[in-house]
Amino acid sequence: MCVTPGWASIVSSKSGNLSKRMNSTRPLKILLGYSHYPYHFNVGAWVEAWLERLRAQGIAVDGFCLTLHPPGPWLDWPELDARWRRGDPELLGFYETLVRRLDHYDVFVNWNGINLHPEFVRQLPTFNVFGCFDDPELSESLSKPVAAAYDLSMVGNAAEVETYRSWGVKNAHFWPLGFHVEDYDPSLTHEEILQGNRDVDVALLCERVSGWRAERLDRFAAAFPQGVFRGRGWPQGFLPEEERLPLYRRTKIGVNFHNSTGPINFRTYILPANGVMQLCDNKAHLGNVYELDQEVVGFDTVEEAIELCRYYLAHDDERRQIAAAGWTRAHRDYNEVAVFQRLINDVQQLQPAAPKRPTDVLEFLQAHQRRTAPLRGWHGVKNRLRPARQKAQSVLKSLRGQKQ
């Protein structure tokens, strides 16, 4: 359930069982914080349904919404840091809510990396994991300023793990997104991939609005006018959700273009999970996810992608073999349980060396509230003066116009 926090006076009290560390005789108890942003479906409900399925598989994980006013935006680093430095009551009240919720948990995972200031994270006695799937585009405003405060960073972009280490992050591991139960057709079989009929040569479902990749997408699509290209910015627009899996079931080759480095999107895992031969950019790091030319085909340029797509359309037996091998790999290593177990394994490996931290986080927040009172007062004064300042600027602008 998402928690919409309000400010409550921070009282001086102990954090109780927050100091309990992991016990190897029982499953780790994990609290996963997530972002609930505006989308065409309820993101919070989607995350909670995923966690419920994990619990049904014996994984002790619960959810906590890290968005201040869900569904809504996250705080980028300048705003988050400014709020923290002035002791913003809403932010500190939210942190108090999280601290109280963390009682009895061993591990805290910030799955989307949002809204927690590093000075606060360093106080949490849980083993703390930073997750991020938006590098490098949002690194400066999201991950780079905060990741080093966590015990472990699980990086969704295979190409950016070393980047985290260059920031001073001691433990940075690759964490694939994987695919979810609603992303594939469970009736599909290995034999059908090898023998069944598919009548769509090539397909791509993605947006075509941002400047990151539009030119590359247009060049590729022009080479395959028979292909299916859908999403925001394409002439035919979005493909209805109920048509997505049927399309994949009919598709021979799924091309995958990233904004920049990668692989770092759900397509990387959803395409092979549906028996589609994946043709993906970022070839250098794609080999960290699949066996190149055995389970996936990689490319570096649009021209190479066009050439490879034509080749595998003309050599269907080779395409089918790669698609079938990719399907096997995806269902073995990148299903939602296997992907989450990868996190658990990494935490269990690193936890014994994790530093011990203070347990009275509420007292720390109370002290921060007192320490930042002058800045908070000055911020309030500025806010009260803002209307008068804006009115004065408007008057001056009007007077200048009259003189002209």
Side-chain angles (χ1 to χ4, degrees), residues 242-260:
E242 63 271 16
E243 297 180 25
R244 182 171 64 112
L245 295 187
L247 172 64
Y248 283 149
R249 188 75 177 254
R250 298 169 51 207
T251 299
K252 297 176 182 178
I253 296 174
V255 67
N256 191 358
F257 284 92
H258 287 77
N259 288 332
S260 55

Side-chain angles (χ1 to χ4, degrees), residues 133 135-137 156-160 174 177 204 206-207 210-217 254-269 271 278-283 285-286 289-290 296-297 299-300 302:
F133 304 90
D135 296 301
E137 287 77 15
N157 189 337
E160 299 298 328
F174 173 53
L177 275 166
L204 172 61
C206 77
E207 62 86 19
S210 67
W212 298 102
R213 58 187 170 187
E215 186 270 337
R216 288 177 290 149
L217 295 176
V255 67
N256 191 358
F257 284 92
H258 287 77
N259 288 332
S260 55
T261 65
I264 176 58
N265 58 33
F266 278 113
R267 279 189 304 278
T268 307
Y269 309 97
L271 290 172
Q278 180 176 193
L279 180 59
C280 185
D281 61 2
N282 285 292
K283 182 177 179 179
H285 295 281
L286 184 62
V289 184
Y290 296 102
V296 70
V297 176
F299 65 88
D300 292 315
V302 176

Side-chain angles (χ1 to χ4, degrees), residues 154-201:
M154 297 296 280
V155 185
N157 189 337
E160 299 298 328
V161 176
E162 288 302 323
T163 302
Y164 273 67
R165 293 171 182 154
S166 75
W167 298 339
V169 175
K170 183 179 179 181
N171 299 310
H173 297 180
F174 173 53
W175 193 19
L177 275 166
F179 63 93
H180 292 251
V181 295
E182 67 271 15
D183 292 327
Y184 74 102
D185 183 348
S187 69
L188 181 64
T189 65
H190 187 271
E191 185 63 24
E192 187 174 350
I193 298 170
L194 293 174
Q195 302 296 333
N197 294 320
R198 293 183 177 235
D199 63 347
V200 176
D201 281 350

Side-chain angles (χ1 to χ4, degrees), residues 352-371:
K356 303 297 182 182
R357 286 181 285 267
T359 61
D360 200 340
V361 189
L362 296 181
E363 185 175 300
F364 168 79
L365 289 174
Q366 184 185 44
H368 185 70
Q369 182 193 29
R370 292 193 300 267
R371 188 166 54 250

